[in-house]
Amino acid sequence: MTSLLFLVLISVCWAEPHPDNSSLEHERIIHIQEENGPRLLVVAEQAKIFSQRGGNVTLPCKFYHEHTSTAGSGTHKIRVKWTKLTSDYLKEVDVFVAMGHHRKSYGKYQGRVFLRESSENDASLIITNIMLDDYGRYKCEVIEGLEDDTAVVALNLEGVVFPYSPRLGRYNLNFHEAQQACLDQDSIIASFDQLYDAWRSGLDWCNAGWLSDGSVQYPITKPREPCGGKNTVPGVRNYGFWDKEKSRYDVFCFTSNFNGRFYYLIHPTKLTYDEAVQACLKDGAQIAKVGQIFAAWKLLGYDRCDAGWLADGSVRYPISRPRKRCSPNEAAVRFVGFPDKKHKLYGVYCFRAYN
């Protein structure tokens, strides 16, 4: 009898409505299922959604009660909360919360997210102006009284993974420097899933690089002695997790499409690096970044056999149609190196953003 009374008191305590001024704030939810009535269910019609940078996307989520067609019981307000899961699933980043007429978005999502609400049980989230770091897994949680349920939706972006190392050479970046190096080249540090998809599409690279979860890995499609041994199976090799401050490796970056024009500047003479920068500016553009040449090559099929300066001081050229004297064996962005900026002469790749 004492145990029963205790449970009743607990239920009454938690069934009290929250004050309006705190209905959208953070709180720990205790998962309890009410014994009476149909169970609350939350369902994502698609587990994986594809989009691209600059686009809009809808992450599906609907809720209803088991064995009924009703969205809610009518006795409790429905609270919808969207969060983004970190790569290790240990943390959640708040995205959007709705309860009754109250709406609140968080951080970089402010002004870019809202509920679709095509029906009374529709909790789908619309994200506008997709950014590179919107990629990831999102959790839709619906709470009604003492009941709640969740569904997870993965947002994937169309794009390209590329290995990157700075002018200093191989294995010179700690994790934080690796993150910044990708950002500087119009990209973000790649996730394991993005690297794995790139490996399945043929990416083969023997230098180990940081990934977004803090691990160090590299993709091998053609096993050979310098890269784990020729008798090993193809795959993504994992070095494990290393000290983010002290350990130094290369990095794998990810970028997507862009809103602008990437092009090789037709110029009467070859240029030093500083001259190349000024030539792009004079043409109403900026010297292109490494992420932009990879995106143009992979997503637009850009092909040019002329080596040109890029913003990081490297010289590269994109080949999508392999031919003699122009990457005869494979389609790739060919890397010439980091030449002397003051004395070496090359063409230049420019990028003009659209308004």
Side-chain angles (χ1 to χ4, degrees):
M1 181 64 184
T2 302
S3 299
L4 179 60
L5 179 60
F6 179 74
L7 287 174
V8 171
L9 289 174
I10 290 293
S11 297
V12 171
C13 176
W14 278 92
E16 290 180 358
H18 297 287
D20 286 343
N21 63 356
S22 64
S23 61
L24 294 181
E25 297 305 318
H26 305 288
E27 60 189 57
R28 182 176 296 277
I29 300 299
I30 299 177
H31 298 256
I32 302 176
Q33 180 182 335
E34 294 179 354
E35 293 299 327
N36 298 324
R39 183 165 63 93
L40 178 68
L41 296 177
V42 175
V43 176
E45 298 166 339
Q46 293 175 262
K48 187 178 292 186
I49 302 295
F50 289 87
S51 187
Q52 58 186 7
R53 177 165 54 177
N56 301 331
V57 70
T58 300
L59 304 183
C61 180
K62 290 190 175 182
F63 61 95
Y64 58 93
H65 283 87
E66 194 174 29
H67 308 309
T68 75
S69 59
T70 59
S73 65
T75 58
H76 302 288
K77 283 186 177 181
I78 299 292
R79 183 174 187 262
V80 177
K81 181 178 182 180
W82 279 91
T83 55
K84 185 181 181 184
L85 305 175
T86 57
S87 57
D88 55 11
Y89 289 91
L90 297 178
K91 292 172 56 180
E92 297 182 19
V93 177
D94 290 333
V95 175
F96 183 85
V97 177
M99 185 173 180
H101 296 294
H102 298 284
R103 300 287 190 274
K104 185 173 183 179
S105 53
Y106 295 86
K108 68 185 183 68
Y109 295 99
Q110 291 184 22
R112 296 197 299 124
V113 294
F114 53 94
L115 294 184
R116 182 172 63 182
E117 297 181 296
S118 62
S119 62
E120 64 177 4
N121 68 326
D122 186 8
S124 302
L125 185 73
I126 296 176
I127 307 178
T128 62
N129 190 24
I130 293 292
M131 301 177 180
L132 289 178
D133 56 1
D134 288 340
Y135 166 89
R137 292 177 175 83
Y138 291 79
K139 185 175 79 173
C140 172
E141 181 176 24
V142 179
I143 304 122
E144 183 186 23
L146 298 179
E147 287 196 80
D148 76 340
D149 195 20
T150 63
V152 175
V153 183
L155 173 58
N156 283 10
L157 300 183
E158 299 172 357
V160 56
V161 172
F162 61 94
Y164 186 78
S165 58
R167 174 178 288 274
L168 293 173
R170 181 174 180 258
Y171 294 173
N172 268 288
L173 299 170
N174 67 25
F175 178 78
H176 307 292
E177 291 166 344
Q179 285 183 308
Q180 188 59 51
C182 290
L183 290 175
D184 290 343
Q185 300 309 318
D186 192 42
S187 60
I188 60 172
I189 188 169
S191 70
F192 169 77
D193 288 342
Q194 289 168 333
L195 182 64
Y196 180 77
D197 289 342
W199 167 74
R200 292 186 62 186
S201 298
L203 180 61
D204 182 279
W205 195 255
C206 200
N207 291 350
W210 291 104
L211 296 178
S212 61
D213 62 358
S215 67
V216 176
Q217 309 195 36
Y218 64 100
I220 295 297
T221 59
K222 300 182 285 289
R224 51 203 183 274
E225 282 303 332
C227 307
K230 64 181 179 181
N231 295 323
T232 58
V233 297
V236 178
R237 308 274 196 263
N238 190 344
Y239 274 20
F241 295 87
W242 292 81
D243 188 309
K244 292 183 177 181
E245 299 287 346
K246 298 178 181 179
S247 300
R248 295 187 172 272
Y249 292 96
D250 291 347
V251 62
F252 289 98
C253 302
F254 172 84
T255 192
S256 185
N257 67 315
F258 45 69
N259 184 30
R261 178 190 172 212
F262 173 88
Y263 61 100
Y264 181 83
L265 180 65
I266 303 302
H267 195 273
T269 63
K270 299 298 184 183
L271 307 163
T272 65
Y273 176 80
D274 289 340
E275 291 170 342
V277 171
Q278 291 303 314
C280 288
L281 290 173
K282 187 176 180 180
D283 202 50
Q286 293 182 326
I287 188 169
K289 299 180 178 181
V290 176
Q292 291 162 347
I293 194 173
F294 271 96
W297 165 73
K298 183 70 174 181
L299 304 177
L300 302 178
Y302 195 92
D303 182 279
R304 184 94 192 188
C305 202
D306 296 290
W309 290 106
L310 294 174
D312 68 338
S314 66
V315 172
R316 308 174 194 245
Y317 60 99
I319 298 297
S320 58
R321 300 185 303 276
R323 55 200 182 274
K324 188 177 181 180
R325 296 184 181 178
C326 299
S327 187
N329 298 320
E330 63 177 350
V333 174
R334 308 305 297 181
F335 176 64
V336 176
F338 286 94
D340 185 311
K341 289 183 175 182
K342 295 186 179 297
H343 301 102
K344 296 296 183 179
L345 303 177
Y346 291 95
V348 61
Y349 287 97
C350 302
F351 179 79
R352 183 184 297 126
Y354 297 147
N355 295 327

